[in-house]
Amino acid sequence: MTSSDRVSEPFVELLDSRPEALREAAEDFGRLVCAPPLGVLRPRSAAEVGDALAYAGPRGIPVAARAGGHSMYGQGQAGGGIVLDLGDLSAVGPVTGERVEVQAGALWRDVLAATLPYGLAPPVLTDYLGAGVGGVLTVGGLGGASHRHGLVADSVLELEVVTGAGEHLVCSPEQHGALFHAVLAGLGQVAVIVRATLRLSPAPTLVRRYCLYYPDLDGYLADQHLLATDRRFAYLEGQARPAEDTAGDWTYMVEAVAPHQGAIPPDDRTLLAGLSFAASESTDLGYFEFANRVATDEEVLRATGEWLHPHPWLNLLLPEDTAASVVTDVLTDPAFRDLRGTGLVLLYPLLTRTLRAPLFRRPPGEVVHLLALLRTAAPGTADPMVAANRTAYENARAQGAVAYPANALPMSPGDWRLHYGSRWSTLAEAKSRHDPHGILGRGHGMGW
Ligand SMILES: Cc1cc2nc3c(=O)[nH]c(=O)nc-3n(C[C@H](O)[C@H](O)[C@H](O)COP(=O)(O)OP(=O)(O)OC[C@H]3O[C@@H](n4cnc5c(N)ncnc54)[C@H](O)[C@@H]3O)c2cc1C
């Protein structure tokens, strides 16, 4: 009798194959891919995750973990396989010293709510706190503090995982280090994260948010370079915005945030010295209100129904020397014209020496820029937008760009090899060792 036979009967009884469960597991934030699984398992322990993987592996059944469900293109789906819905593995705490234990199905909003009473927060948060811990750690996680502290995944001290081979392990840089580094920003190819220990840092209670406006891209990028490298702000992002008076022009806005000590406000003059913006404004906000700001947008978009529309999003990391050219190409491309009306374009710098997870891919150079083209499609109209993403990706790649793989972007196995470059063999080795049946993370289309 093999280990997979032993677990088969009780495990199969736990699978939810009701049509509504399968439908939900075949949907994600992208609303572009719909691959119903055979069943959904809601594991309550690492042992149950292990049972599922031990059952699925020898049978070659695909398995995908689902935390917050915000994949863009079916990355968290397992057509004809098993979706592990981690909703029951979402405990947060305890907070001890400057660290917190979190289960992988928790949402970042709950993580922050649990750490703030201690005056602490993860050093980097993504813009949206409704995403899941497991999903963000496997993609990497970029946000306004990344120019100082790197990826969300870079604050992980330890992981508890179950590998595709069904092995239950605790890993860290010191213990099973190769596995630890293959899981973080590793797109769920080798293991399911069950729990993470995160490093925390002191959180302010108040912040001052500055919006600095620029009429031209070159001036904007020059100031973004300065701000990323001198690191005067705690948080640094920015946007391209359609100019109001003209048909096709764009303007640019740095969004920068400094902690506010209440009685001692930030020194505006020092923070804004040497910059070339044309206009500026600032607002004081509570820290949680600022960190959780996308929740308000979500509420509005849920009310209009657009939250549930297709989201053909494209995230690219641009080298500094071609950033202006790639951005101009995309913003003047008729295939992306809808960005002027309903989209959002994020454009902000990252300091590469802070981005540590080895499987996180980015262009070379001291500074790179995240370009996020965030579009919403009316139902049934997204296919040409996904095709435009592909064309934009190829053009950008020819100019040295790399995908930030939280995208609605068809990628072939050959694209993935190019994406990983010299790290492909590291990932392939970890894959064959820890997921020998190739059942995990098939939604990315790496073609193992
Ligand atoms: C409104 C919005 C704003 C966003 N803003 C940002 C941003 O500012 N910065 C940024 O970096 N990203 C941002 N994202 C992208 C988001 O971080 C990714 O899409 C992330 O992968 C979503 O995680 P999830 O858990 O919600 O999704 P899921 O679909 O549940 O998971 C995403 C992927 O991770 C895998 N996975 C999930 N849990 C586990 C686990 N425990 N073990 C192994 N693999 C697992 C899934 O199988 C899937 O492949 C944003 C997304 C949205 C919808």
Side-chain angles (χ1 to χ4, degrees), residues 187-207:
L187 302 180
Q189 295 303 306
V190 298
V192 173
I193 304 171
V194 176
R195 178 188 58 79
T197 306
L198 308 175
R199 185 169 53 81
L200 300 171
S201 38
T205 33
L206 276 180
V207 296

Side-chain angles (χ1 to χ4, degrees), residues 117-300:
Y118 297 85
L120 297 168
V124 182
L125 289 164
T126 63
D127 297 355
Y128 176 53
L129 301 185
V133 166
V136 171
L137 296 184
T138 55
V139 79
L142 294 169
S146 288
H147 74 293
R148 281 192 169 201
H149 303 292
L151 306 170
V152 176
D154 290 329
S155 63
V156 175
L157 299 170
E158 183 183 275
L159 291 171
E160 179 184 349
V161 303
V162 181
T163 68
E167 226 184 332
H168 181 191
L169 292 170
V170 172
C171 56
S172 66
E174 296 78 31
Q175 193 184 359
H176 302 296
L179 174 62
F180 179 79
H181 293 302
V183 173
L184 294 176
L187 302 180
Q189 295 303 306
V190 298
V192 173
I193 304 171
V194 176
R195 178 188 58 79
T197 306
L198 308 175
R199 185 169 53 81
L200 300 171
S201 38
T205 33
L206 276 180
V207 296
R208 178 163 292 177
R209 173 179 181 257
Y210 299 85
C211 294
L212 314 177
Y213 299 97
Y214 294 76
D216 71 296
L217 181 55
D218 288 343
Y220 171 80
L221 289 175
D223 276 5
Q224 284 285 35
H225 178 99
L226 179 66
L227 294 172
T229 49
D230 73 14
R231 310 209 285 180
R232 67 180 84 172
F233 286 103
Y235 168 105
L236 180 64
E237 289 200 5
Q239 298 177 15
R241 304 175 134 205
E244 276 169 21
D245 306 332
T246 53
D249 286 349
W250 289 80
T251 63
Y252 302 88
M253 181 191 86
V254 169
E255 185 196 25
V257 170
H260 190 317
Q261 309 300 347
I264 315 165
D267 178 353
D268 295 349
R269 189 191 287 255
T270 306
L271 283 170
L272 302 181
L275 302 174
S276 68
F277 53 85
S280 70
E281 57 192 342
S282 68
T283 334
D284 293 341
L285 299 163
Y287 172 70
F288 185 76
E289 181 190 358
F290 170 70
N292 196 35
R293 63 203 174 282
V294 177
T296 316
D297 300 327
E298 177 176 356
E299 220 172 280
V300 172

